[in-house]
């Protein structure tokens, strides 16, 4: 297959769940097919980034949209202007004439066998008439994600903004999903939600994967240090809410039972709300060169999420490292996990804290759950997952070719 892949925002560094999923699938596809990556990003041209992308994916096309300088005030102005737009801001801000023109050219010249729109955010760059088989890679059901953010947002102004975004997204997502020839979901849960938007026959599930080889050494060396770890991009609202909730309602209970326990929040760009959590056994690392070293020290990985969509790659990374995971149901949503066997699932704060305490105190239970988790992760190595993605692309091509003119 000759594949084009349209990615809004930078693909590198691989420091978010979405980037991890896209990068690893692209790397597998590039080993088997012709792949042209189009990645476009806001701000001035970044030659170092362009060089890095070209090294990973020869022939990649990078576009710097250079709309304006970044910053909270700039973002606020952009959002205010976007209020009158029909499309949600999370889509509008990733739409650019240069990208639309290039995609239009690809469509008219039929330059590829199939084009992948990576995330809904890039979808407004695609024309109404799709002349090439086109697949929407839907990492999240965006409407559900924005509704959850509105539900748990404590600040009244931001809560109102999230509600507006959820309302707009509910209308836009239904129309956008139905427009593509095929949709790839990351879990059966997401697929079921999207069957309300499009015929189920046009939706495939490609499960989340993990680079098992990256974590093999850690998996072979269990940690006895009472370190609890959270992993995620710490400028993302769902992660901020999760660690705030954990520190407020679970961590005091854990620390009272295990006084020498430490909680480490690992992830890029920690917001001020996250940085204020440091102290009383809590450490905020910010960006780290590699999460592997931190997983090597962790006894328990927690995923106390109340907001989210898609599937959490952080859980499979912890499982790849054979670490015991305690998560909420939302945190593990869409993953084929078995509670009390390869993961602990708790949705109220006391039970969540008690599960963490139990695992910190009981090394045998920790190793048992970690071993089962590692076996589950091994079945989801990216080298196995990629065949599902290829089949989905082939389905899109076959369906388009057999459709009436």
């Amino acid at each position: 297959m000759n594949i084009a892949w349209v990615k809004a925002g930078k693909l590198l560094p691989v420091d978010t769940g979405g980037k991890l999923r896209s990068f690893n699938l692209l790397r597998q596809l590039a080993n088997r097919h012709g792949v042209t990556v189009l990645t476009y990003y806001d701000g001035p041209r970044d030659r170092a980034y362009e060089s890095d992308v070209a090294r990973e994916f020869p022939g990649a096309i990078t576009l710097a949209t250079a709309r304006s300088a970044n910053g909270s005030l700039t973002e606020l102005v952009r959002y205010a202007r976007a209020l009158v737009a029909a499309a949600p801001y999370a889509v509008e801000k990733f739409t650019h004439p240069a990208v639309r023109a290039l995609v239009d050219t690809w469509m008219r010249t039929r330059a590829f066998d199939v084009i992948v729109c990576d995330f809904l955010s890039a979808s407004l760059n695609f024309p109404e008439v799709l002349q090439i088989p086109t697949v929407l890679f839907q990492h999240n059901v965006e409407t559900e994600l924005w509704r959850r953010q509105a539900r748990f947002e404590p600040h009244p102004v931001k809560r109102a903004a999230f509600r507006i975004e959820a309302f707009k997204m509910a209308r836009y997502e239904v129309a956008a999903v139905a427009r593509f020839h095929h949709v790839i979901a990351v879990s059966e849960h997401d697929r079921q939600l999207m069957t309300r938007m499009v015929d189920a026959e046009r939706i495939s599930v490609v499960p989340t994967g993990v680079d098992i080889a990256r974590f093999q050494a850690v998996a072979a060396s269990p940690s006895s240090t009472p370190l609890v770890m959270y992993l995620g991009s710490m400028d993302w609202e769902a992660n901020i809410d999760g660690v705030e909730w954990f520190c407020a309602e679970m961590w005091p209970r854990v620390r009272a039972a295990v006084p020498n326990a430490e909680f480490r929040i690992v992830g890029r760009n920690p917001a001020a709300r996250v940085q204020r959590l440091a102290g009383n056994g809590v450490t905020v690392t910010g960006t780290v060169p590699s999460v592997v070293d931190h997983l090597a020290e962790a006894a328990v990985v927690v995923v106390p999420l109340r907001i989210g969509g898609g599937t959490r790659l952080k859980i499979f990374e912890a499982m790849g490292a054979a670490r015991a995971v305690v998560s909420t149901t939302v945190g593990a949503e869409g993953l084929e996990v078995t509670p009390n066997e390869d993961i602990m699932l708790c949705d109220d704060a006391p039970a969540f804290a008690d599960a963490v305490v139990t695992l910190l105190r009981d090394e045998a239970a920790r190793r048992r759950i970690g071993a089962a988790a590692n076996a589950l992760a091994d079945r989801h190595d990216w080298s196995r997952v990629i065949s599902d993605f290829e089949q989905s692309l082939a389905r899109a091509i076959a369906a388009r070719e057999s459709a009436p003119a």
Side-chain angles (χ1 to χ4, degrees):
M1 286 183 283
N2 191 17
I3 305 163
W5 187 289
V6 181
K7 169 76 174 73
K10 292 181 175 180
L11 182 60
L12 303 173
V14 185
D15 55 4
T16 68
K19 288 181 182 180
L20 274 166
R21 190 182 285 113
S22 298
F23 176 82
N24 282 286
L25 287 169
L26 275 167
R27 188 169 59 176
Q28 295 290 332
L29 285 173
N31 288 335
R32 306 165 183 236
H33 307 277
V35 176
T36 298
V37 179
L38 166 59
T39 164
Y40 62 100
Y41 56 93
D42 195 10
R45 186 174 182 184
D46 185 342
R47 294 184 183 276
Y49 168 69
E50 295 181 5
S51 176
D52 290 343
V53 171
R55 184 166 53 252
E56 292 286 352
F57 303 104
I61 301 168
T62 51
L63 295 175
T65 58
R67 293 187 304 175
S68 61
N70 290 318
S72 56
L73 180 59
T74 302
E75 196 74 6
L76 185 61
V77 171
R78 287 180 185 171
Y79 179 76
R81 289 174 178 170
L83 281 174
V84 298
Y89 179 60
V91 174
E92 187 74 28
K93 72 176 183 177
F94 290 111
T95 306
H96 194 271
V99 181
R100 298 183 80 161
L102 182 55
V103 174
D104 277 341
T105 300
W106 288 348
M107 291 287 176
R108 285 187 289 101
T109 60
R110 301 182 184 274
F112 298 95
D113 297 322
V114 61
I115 303 179
V116 178
C117 176
D118 189 8
F119 275 96
L120 192 68
S121 54
S123 60
L124 207 54
N125 293 294
F126 285 72
E128 286 296 320
V129 179
L130 301 172
Q131 297 167 288
I132 294 176
T134 309
V135 173
L136 174 63
F137 186 18
Q138 185 74 314
H139 297 240
N140 307 296
V141 178
E142 295 291 337
T143 304
E144 186 73 7
L145 179 64
W146 286 101
R147 283 173 177 165
R148 285 174 175 172
Q149 291 202 163
R151 177 185 173 191
F152 290 106
E153 174 54 51
H155 195 285
V157 175
K158 291 181 72 174
R159 185 166 61 248
F162 289 158
R163 284 175 175 168
I164 292 171
E165 191 74 356
F167 174 76
K168 285 182 158 186
M169 189 65 77
R171 293 187 303 175
Y172 179 82
E173 189 167 25
V174 170
V177 168
R179 192 158 58 90
F180 286 84
H181 298 126
H182 200 78
V183 181
I184 296 177
V186 297
S187 71
E188 182 59 34
H189 175 270
D190 281 11
R191 180 180 180 276
Q192 290 298 323
L193 290 176
M194 281 188 279
T195 56
R196 306 169 191 170
M197 309 176 192
V198 67
D199 185 350
E201 291 300 312
R202 289 168 55 194
I203 309 173
S204 297
V205 176
V206 176
T208 285
V210 63
D211 184 357
I212 285 293
R214 186 181 177 207
F215 301 99
Q216 279 181 336
V218 174
S221 305
S223 173
S224 58
T225 304
L227 174 65
V228 181
M229 177 179 166
Y230 183 84
L231 172 63
S233 300
M234 296 318 304
D235 54 357
W236 177 235
E237 192 64 38
N239 293 334
I240 297 170
D241 175 79
V243 294
E244 283 185 326
W245 184 43
F246 182 80
C247 287
E249 300 194 31
M250 288 85 133
W251 185 239
R253 190 180 182 108
V254 173
R255 203 81 192 285
V258 186
N260 63 332
E262 299 289 330
F263 180 43
R264 186 179 299 171
I265 301 170
V266 179
R268 66 167 194 164
N269 301 336
R273 287 161 55 191
V274 176
Q275 294 177 30
R276 286 195 290 268
L277 299 174
N280 190 32
V282 179
T283 303
V284 179
T285 68
T287 302
V288 296
S290 171
V291 301
V292 177
D293 294 339
H294 293 274
L295 281 170
E297 297 178 15
V300 178
V301 174
V302 293
V303 189
L305 292 183
R306 302 186 290 184
I307 304 167
T311 54
R312 254 59 61 190
L313 279 83
K314 68 188 77 175
I315 289 184
F316 267 180
E317 289 192 332
M319 288 180 162
R323 291 318 186 242
V325 177
V326 182
S327 175
T328 57
T329 303
V330 168
E333 197 171 67
L335 298 178
E336 298 173 359
V337 295
T338 304
N340 301 321
E341 181 177 318
D342 49 37
I343 196 170
M344 302 288 283
L345 293 183
C346 307
D347 288 321
D348 67 90
F352 196 109
D354 289 347
V356 174
V357 169
T358 297
L359 290 171
L360 288 177
R361 287 175 167 173
D362 189 341
E363 185 174 355
R366 208 164 62 233
R367 292 195 178 203
R368 174 179 56 80
I369 290 177
N374 186 251
L376 174 63
D378 186 58
R379 297 196 296 272
H380 289 79
D381 188 78
W382 289 115
S383 62
R384 300 186 182 190
V385 170
I386 192 59
S387 61
D388 292 335
F389 202 94
E390 288 173 318
Q391 289 172 24
S392 297
L393 298 184
R395 282 180 63 184
I397 294 171
R400 177 60 178 160
E401 290 176 346
S402 63

